[in-house]
Every structure is written in C-alpha cells, then in structure tokens.
C-alpha cells in the first residue's frame, strides 16, 4: 500500500518538480572545458536542497587545471538496511548553448510549454537530478524509510570526461560492490531501453608519406593519396573479415570499422600529393583485443610501405577498452526491468551501445551499473527540453527501486 501512496505522492509533487528544474537551470553550469563558469553556483544551490531532505550531505571539491573549483555532492538518506545503497547519479555540468539564433527560447530562463520544459541542461542532465531528488522526497514526505540507503550523487565534469567528477570520487571508497547504481544520463522515448554494456572504442590517425610531384609525371614521385586509399581499403576489408563476431546484446551487433575524417592535401588538381592524412573510428565488441587489431594494422602497413615505397605512420588518437558488461542477472538490472514492466506495462530491453558512458567506471570496479532514463533525442541540441511527464514517471521508477 505504501508504494501506491508514494506513486501518488510523486504525482502531487509535479509542480514542485517543474519549479525546481526552472530554478536550477537559471543557474548556469557550463563545463569550463567549453569556456563555461563551471558547476560551483549550481552546486551551492543543490547542496542547500540536499540538506533539506538528506540525513547526511558530503561535498568533494576537485580543483581543475584552470584553478576552478569543481564540486561533487553526495546526499544520503538512510534505509532500513544501512549497509547497502541505491545510488542515483546525475551530472550538474552542461554543454554550452551553441548558436543562440537556433533557439526559440532563452536557454537559461526555462519556458514551460506543451508539457515540456525548454532550456540547456533540462534533459542532460537536469532530469536525473530532479527525478532522483523527488523520488526520495516523496518517500520522506510520507514518513517512510527506503529499504536500503538512497544515495543522491550530483557530479561535475561529465561532459568533458569526468576527471573532476565521477572519476574524482571513484577512489574515495564511497561505492561498494553490493550497491545498486543507476545513471539516468541516456535513454529512449518510452524508457524501454536499459544500457548495460558498451563497445571498446579506438580512433586512429593514419599519416601516409610519399613524394610530391607533378600529376603528369607520376613516376617521379610517390602518390601518398593512392597509397593511403589502398591501405584504408585493405584494412577495412581485413578487419571486417577477421573480427566478424556478432553479439546480439549490441545494436548494431557487430564491430564497426569506419574510415572517417580526411584532412585536406594539395591545393591544386595537377599536383600528386606527397602526404595524406585520414582517420579511422572503430567500435569494437568487448571480446576482441585492441592491441591485436593494432598489430594487424601495422603488419598491413609494412607490406603496403614496401610495395609502394612509402611510409605509413599510425597514431592512436584515443583508445578505450570496454569494461565487462553489467550482468543481465544482476539485481539492479532485474529490479529495473520489474519496475518498468509494472509501472508502464511495457517490455524493457537491456543492451549495449557503441559509445563510452560513465557507467564504465563502475563496471571496471566490478560494481554493476545501468544507464537508464526516459528521454527524447534532444541532448546537446538547440531547444533542448525535458518532458514533465518523464520527470514524474521516472521519479516513480526510482521510488519503486528504493521501496521494493
Ligand atoms: Zn549527460
């Protein structure tokens, strides 16, 4: 019965949730990596809010390379069992508003219209903060206690790699293997997708050096563009053939190997370029070894170098090894599936995505973590919005997780 009361309570808090979101978004918190002011002001406001409902509030301030304070907040509400915690993690920082002329509204003075709240950071990741906060508040307003602790974690720096945010907290002995971790920072429109895995990712810069010459006299040079194209296609074909496993956890289920960016070479058509630069973007199933793939690429480069009398340099721009997936049978996945089924009457699907997420830090530590929220695809875009309905319904899911 108490669960039903809490779900009803969450609905009653709808207007308060909207006001909370509007007030919070007015306090800009653009990540300093993009020239913003940072999270400090927003964190001060949120710290006050946490103190109103939490049994314990802690603040961990990192200081970044520009000397800017980067706060991280942890609010704990004690459960019947204090040995375990349901962590809900949201990030305070946002990306900049971008080209203002593309916005119909002031990105930092939110407008509520047609069931939506428009503003930079309303969805990404304001929704996580509002829904987790009000799930806890609904429980407390009714004088109830969660089964295990609720941990509200509002971090800095997610948009620029989490160095001063979640990663700063990871070695502080806060999160335990037995805890439940939910990160509402990505999701689909009906909330049916639960992210439990990610692929490894690698970006590689390929620099091919030949010898520049006049286009009418190719024999006097080495066409770096031709060599690079031969190399790219060979690598493309070889990797797709050798690393062809499928894992239905992911969409798409196979590894992807794409040549992407191409740097400009010569300025005129009648010159054979002596230098060529292009890039690969790989998203690789976790079962494969990244160094083996790099070894294959080097071997092919050696053969092509000899055949064309050119030089091929491979530079790793970035390389991230996928953490082991959160097991399907882990408690956090199963509880979330049950919550979504019962509250929404839909069949959730757990799976993997091609890009890295903050959940990886937990998975690497052996702590099962899921990324889940109900969201339209408007993150980082002009006219970013969150739906008020999703605020209410996602808060219900978190209340359910805390009470069952
Ligand atoms: Zn985000």
């Amino acid at each position: 019965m108490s669960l039903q009361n809490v779900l009803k309570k969450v609905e009653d808090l709808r207007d308060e949730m909207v006001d909370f979101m509007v007030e919070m978004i007015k306090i800009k918190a653009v990540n300093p990596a993009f020239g913003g002011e940072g999270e400090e002001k927003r964190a001060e406001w949120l710290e006050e809010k946490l103190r109103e409902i939490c049994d314990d509030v802690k603040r961990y301030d990192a200081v970044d390379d520009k000397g800017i304070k980067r706060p991280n907040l942890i609010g704990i509400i004690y459960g019947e069992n204090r040995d375990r915690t349901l962590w809900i993690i949201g990030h305070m920082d946002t990306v900049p508003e971008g080209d203002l002329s593309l916005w119909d509204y002031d990105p930092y003075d939110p407008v509520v219209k047609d069931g939506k709240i428009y503003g930079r950071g309303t969805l990404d990741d304001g929704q996580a903060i509002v829904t987790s906060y009000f799930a806890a508040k609904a429980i407390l307003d009714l004088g109830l206690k969660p089964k295990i602790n609720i941990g509200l974690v509002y971090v800095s720096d997610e948009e620029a790699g989490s160095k001063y945010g979640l990663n700063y907290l990871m070695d502080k002995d806060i999160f335990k293997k037995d805890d439940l971790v939910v990160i509402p920072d990505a999701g689909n429109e009906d909330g049916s997708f639960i992210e439990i895995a990610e692929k490894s990712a690698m970006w590689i810069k390929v620099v091919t050096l030949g010898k520049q010459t006049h286009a009418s006299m190719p024999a006097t040079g080495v066409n770096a563009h031709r060599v690079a194209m031969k190399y790219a296609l060979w690598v493309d074909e070889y990797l797709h053939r050798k690393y062809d496993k499928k894992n239905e956890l992911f969409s798409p289920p196979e590894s992807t190997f794409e040549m992407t960016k191409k740097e400009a070479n010569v300025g005129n058509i009648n010159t054979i370029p002596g230098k060529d630069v292009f890039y690969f973007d790989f998203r690789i199933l976790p079962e494969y070894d990244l160094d083996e793939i790099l070894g294959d690429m080097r071997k092919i480069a050696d053969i092509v170098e000899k055949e064309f009398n050119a030089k091929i340099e491979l530079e790793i721009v970035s390389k991230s090894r996928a953490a082991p997936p959160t097991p399907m049978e882990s408690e956090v996945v199963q509880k979330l599936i049950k919550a979504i089924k019962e509250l929404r009457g839909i069949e959730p699907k757990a799976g993997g995505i091609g890009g890295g997420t903050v959940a990886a830090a937990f998975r690497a530590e052996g702590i099962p973590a899921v990324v889940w929220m109900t969201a339209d695809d408007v993150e980082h875009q002009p006219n970013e919005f969150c739906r008020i309905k999703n605020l209410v319904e996602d808060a219900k899911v978190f209340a359910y997780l805390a009470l069952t």
Side-chain angles (χ1 to χ4, degrees):
M1 205 52 229
S2 58
L3 176 65
Q4 288 310 319
N5 294 341
V6 171
L7 299 181
K8 171 76 175 60
K9 183 72 197 172
V10 171
E11 284 183 8
D12 294 342
L13 292 170
R14 174 187 307 255
D15 290 346
E16 240 185 274
M17 294 171 93
V18 174
D19 291 345
F20 188 109
M21 176 72 88
V22 169
E23 286 312 304
M24 180 173 70
I25 297 302
K26 281 181 182 169
I27 310 164
K28 274 182 80 171
V30 175
N31 193 305
F34 313 118
E37 58 287 288
E39 305 86 352
E40 194 178 359
K41 289 253 154 51
R42 183 174 288 187
E44 276 164 14
W45 185 84
L46 276 169
E47 189 178 347
E48 287 298 303
K49 293 287 181 188
L50 285 174
R51 291 197 185 282
E52 288 171 19
I53 65 165
C54 292
D55 296 309
D56 185 29
V57 178
K58 285 200 171 70
R59 181 172 155 167
Y60 297 84
D61 286 351
V63 177
D64 70 14
D65 50 4
K66 300 184 183 82
I68 300 174
K69 216 186 269 177
R70 313 295 297 275
N72 296 285
L73 300 170
I74 297 191
I76 303 286
I77 293 142
Y78 294 130
E80 289 165 13
N81 170 2
R82 292 192 186 190
D83 298 335
R84 300 181 71 201
T85 304
L86 163 67
W87 299 104
I88 308 175
I89 300 171
H91 64 88
M92 298 183 285
D93 61 313
T94 74
V95 293
E97 66 281 6
D99 183 351
L100 254 185
S101 71
L102 299 173
W103 285 78
D104 298 323
Y105 314 95
D106 182 339
Y108 303 107
D109 190 7
V111 166
V112 181
K113 201 180 154 194
D114 304 327
K116 300 170 187 167
I117 309 170
Y118 290 89
R120 172 58 81 229
T122 48
L123 179 68
D124 182 18
D125 198 18
Q127 184 166 314
I129 294 172
V130 174
T131 53
S132 56
Y133 186 90
F134 280 88
K137 189 170 192 299
I139 292 169
L140 296 169
D141 280 359
L142 293 176
L144 300 168
K145 232 182 182 6
K147 286 269 189 255
I148 59 176
N149 303 329
I150 299 175
L152 303 174
V153 184
Y154 303 148
V155 294
S156 288
D157 201 30
E158 191 278 335
E159 297 292 359
S162 292
K163 183 175 176 194
Y164 307 111
L166 190 60
N167 292 349
Y168 183 75
L169 297 178
M170 283 316 283
D171 63 352
K172 306 228 169 348
D173 202 28
I174 298 164
F175 310 107
K176 309 279 190 294
K177 290 218 182 332
D178 213 20
D179 291 342
L180 307 179
V181 178
V182 181
I183 304 166
D185 196 17
N188 65 351
E189 285 182 22
D190 64 357
S192 61
F193 182 73
I194 303 169
E195 190 256 282
I196 58 168
E198 62 213 64
K199 292 177 182 172
S200 300
M202 198 154 53
W203 286 347
I204 297 155
K205 180 180 185 183
V206 181
V207 180
T208 305
L209 301 169
K211 185 167 179 272
Q212 181 169 318
T213 189
H214 195 276
S216 63
M217 299 289 286
T220 60
V222 175
N223 189 332
H225 186 35
R226 172 185 287 117
V227 179
M229 286 203 286
K230 296 253 187 203
Y231 177 67
L233 289 171
W234 191 348
V235 167
D236 175 39
E237 212 182 299
Y238 184 88
L239 297 183
H240 277 103
R241 200 170 52 230
K242 179 171 173 190
Y243 301 96
D244 65 346
K245 271 188 211 158
K246 285 188 194 296
N247 180 338
E248 295 300 333
L249 198 57
F250 292 94
S251 164
E254 64 277 348
S255 302
T256 57
F257 303 99
E258 292 296 312
M259 44 280 248
T260 54
K261 182 174 164 177
K262 174 86 181 73
E263 284 183 12
N265 51 22
V266 288
N268 43 309
I269 298 173
N270 60 0
T271 300
I272 284 175
K275 185 179 180 185
D276 181 278
V277 181
F278 75 96
Y279 297 79
F280 281 115
D281 175 305
F282 298 162
R283 309 293 163 125
I284 302 155
L285 290 178
E287 40 268 59
Y288 287 126
D289 177 12
L290 302 184
D291 290 328
E292 187 185 337
I293 292 170
L294 283 169
D296 289 339
M297 292 179 70
R298 189 60 251 171
K299 265 184 235 154
I300 296 170
D302 291 344
I303 299 170
V304 173
E305 278 183 346
K306 270 210 193 89
E307 189 180 333
F308 292 95
N309 194 26
K311 183 120 201 62
I312 298 177
E313 291 161 6
L314 303 179
E315 280 172 40
I316 298 167
V317 179
S318 76
K319 181 180 168 194
S320 71
R321 179 97 193 81
T326 293
M328 193 62 190
E329 60 281 5
S330 62
E331 189 180 339
V332 66
V333 178
Q334 289 305 316
K335 274 187 91 164
L336 189 53
I337 287 177
K338 192 158 173 271
I340 296 165
K341 270 189 191 167
E342 281 189 26
L343 296 176
R344 303 198 180 171
I346 58 172
E347 197 61 43
K349 182 183 175 302
I353 59 167
T357 72
V358 285
F362 288 101
R363 292 180 186 136
E365 300 283 321
I367 302 171
V370 298
V371 178
W372 176 85
M373 78 195 296
T374 310
D376 296 80
D377 195 13
V378 293
E379 287 169 347
H380 299 196
Q381 291 179 34
N383 296 325
E384 176 182 350
F385 65 82
C386 76
R387 289 181 195 275
I388 297 167
K389 179 171 161 267
N390 292 343
L391 292 181
V392 174
E393 298 304 320
D394 282 12
K396 284 184 187 172
V397 169
F398 297 143
Y400 183 107
L401 293 180
L403 288 171
T404 58

